[in-house]
Amino acid sequence: MSEFSHLNDRGEANMVDVSGKAVSQREARAEAFVTMNEAALTLIEQGGHHKGDIFGVARVAGIQGAKLTPQLIPLCHPLMLSKIGVELELQRVQGRVRIETRCKLDGKTGVEMEALTAASVTALTLFDMVKAVDPGMCIEGLRVLEKQGGKTGHWTADEVADV
C-alpha cells in the first residue's frame, strides 16, 4: 500500500469506507514494555501493593481500552470484538513487565489499533498503580507483532525486521 488510507482525494482526513469489503476473521497482536526499578518489580511479584492485584487491574483496563478505541482514535471504526486478551509477564532479568495483547473479530476491518490501544492502556494503568514506588518508569517498545485477515493476509513484525 503506497497511499495513506485515511485521506480522501483532496488530502482531507476521512474514515475509510469498508462497506464493500468482505467479512473475514481478523486478528492482531501487540506488545509494550514497562521498565521499572527493583522495588517496583518486587512489589508486583509479591503482590503486596495496597491498590490490590496490579496485573488484574491493568488487564481489565487494557480490555476496556480495546473496546473504547474508536472513541480515542478519531477515524477508527467501532468494532464488535469477539476476543480481547491481555497477558502480563514479569521479566525480572530485564527489569520490566512485558505486555502482550490479542484482539480478534469477524469483520471488514483490522484490529491492529485495538491491540495497540489495549497494550497502551495496560501499560499506562500499570504505571499509574506503581508510580509511587518508581516515578521514573519507562513505557517503551509499543508495536504490532502480528496481524491476520483481510486483503493483506498474514503479517508478522519479523518480516520487516530487516528493512
Side-chain angles (χ1 to χ4, degrees):
M1 181 176 287
S2 60
E3 296 180 15
F4 293 116
S5 61
H6 287 79
L7 299 177
N8 65 18
D9 295 338
R10 296 181 303 278
E12 301 165 335
N14 71 327
M15 182 182 255
V16 175
D17 182 1
V18 297
S19 60
K21 293 174 81 174
V23 171
S24 67
Q25 188 172 81
R26 295 161 184 268
E27 186 171 343
R29 292 185 311 116
E31 75 177 348
F33 299 91
V34 182
T35 304
M36 61 190 71
N37 67 25
E38 180 69 25
L41 287 167
T42 299
L43 185 66
I44 291 170
E45 189 173 52
Q46 294 177 353
H49 198 288
H50 72 277
K51 290 186 179 182
D53 178 7
I54 294 171
F55 277 8
V57 173
R59 182 177 294 108
V60 171
I63 292 167
Q64 189 66 23
K67 295 190 311 185
L68 292 173
T69 299
Q71 290 152 342
L72 299 168
I73 311 296
L75 301 176
C76 284
H77 294 84
L79 302 177
M80 183 61 72
L81 297 168
S82 58
K83 172 68 178 165
I84 305 167
V86 177
E87 298 298 326
L88 296 101
E89 174 191 4
L90 190 90
Q91 296 181 332
R92 182 167 282 288
V93 173
Q94 294 91 344
R96 66 188 185 188
V97 172
R98 179 178 183 266
I99 299 160
E100 183 175 326
T101 62
R102 178 183 306 267
C103 292
K104 191 174 182 180
L105 61 67
D106 291 327
K108 296 181 174 196
T109 189
V111 291
E112 297 92 336
M113 294 310 300
E114 287 71 15
L116 286 166
T117 301
S120 299
V121 172
T122 301
L124 290 167
T125 302
L126 185 62
F127 189 102
D128 182 51
M129 294 189 75
V130 183
K131 68 181 182 248
V133 178
D134 183 4
M137 285 178 287
C138 182
I139 297 171
E140 55 196 1
L142 177 66
R143 67 179 183 149
V144 174
L145 294 172
E146 179 181 21
K147 72 155 273 322
Q148 296 182 56
K151 186 170 62 173
T152 57
H154 188 206
W155 173 90
T156 64
D158 296 336
E159 293 174 9
V160 296
D162 297 327
V163 174

